[in-house]
Amino acid sequence: MTQRTYFNSDQLSMHTQVLNCTPADDGQFHVVLAATLFHPQGGGQPSDVGTINGVAVSRVVQQDELLIHVTQAAITPGEVDITVLAEPRQLHARLHSAGHLLANVIEPLGWRAVKGHHWPGEARVVFERTAAAQELDADTVQAAVNALIHCDAPRKIDMGSDKRMLGFGALPMTACGGTHVASAGQIKQVVLLKMKEKKGQLSVQYDVAA
């Protein structure tokens, strides 16, 4: 099992250990670390990228309880220093946190969030209509989300149960394994690009702006 240090740390570099390194069929290498700051692809979020002892990590994937760091060169098992690139991590965190705030605004209006996709350039949250669903206005939703951002509530993480729970300030917490901004103000601004309902599902496409 790889210890997921990123669950409760915003560090972008640390010292850890390579447990094993195996060649892959595509000429790259699969590296398993004892502990990692790299978020793997999954949960609607792209993987972090960075380096292990200066060797590029192009992506990270989950296989059961292990996180596989895909590298361009072999790395000898033992002590290493790892670094996550700051710019992609911050963008992914802003997009993911923005998706949570969208759900915080829309769910009380009778729509249940069922899927999130927080990739740059294609971010969206999908909601299902309930019997209490209200009609939504994009400008009103956007203004409400940006008002939450302006309040700059701190991120809250609860690791006490069998799931990692995450939320901002007094807003409801949600089970989530992703990376998030330390406070809502770091999202800066949300722009709603499109809202489309089809067969009882509402897709809300959005982006974050400076």
Side-chain angles (χ1 to χ4, degrees), residues 39-146:
H39 182 281
Q41 180 175 323
Q45 183 175 329
S47 80
D48 286 324
V49 293
T51 61
I52 301 174
N53 269 7
V55 176
V57 176
S58 60
R59 68 184 188 279
V60 184
V61 296
Q62 181 172 343
Q63 291 184 3
D64 298 322
E65 295 301 315
L66 297 179
L67 300 188
I68 307 300
H69 303 70
V70 181
T71 64
Q72 309 304 306
I75 302 174
T76 303
E79 304 289 322
V80 290
D81 291 309
I82 66 174
T83 300
V84 174
L85 290 186
E87 187 173 345
R89 158 65 73 85
Q90 183 66 3
L91 177 57
H92 300 163
R94 290 174 65 209
L95 287 166
H96 202 153
S97 296
H100 278 237
L101 293 190
L102 271 171
N104 288 143
V105 167
I106 294 177
E107 285 199 312
L109 302 176
W111 296 85
R112 183 170 60 90
V114 294
K115 182 179 180 181
H117 182 76
H118 313 293
W119 287 55
E122 50 190 70
R124 65 184 180 275
V125 180
V126 178
F127 298 86
E128 284 187 348
R129 176 184 285 271
T130 72
Q134 301 177 30
E135 295 307 311
L136 302 177
D137 174 75
D139 290 340
T140 302
V141 170
Q142 178 177 289
V145 174
N146 284 320

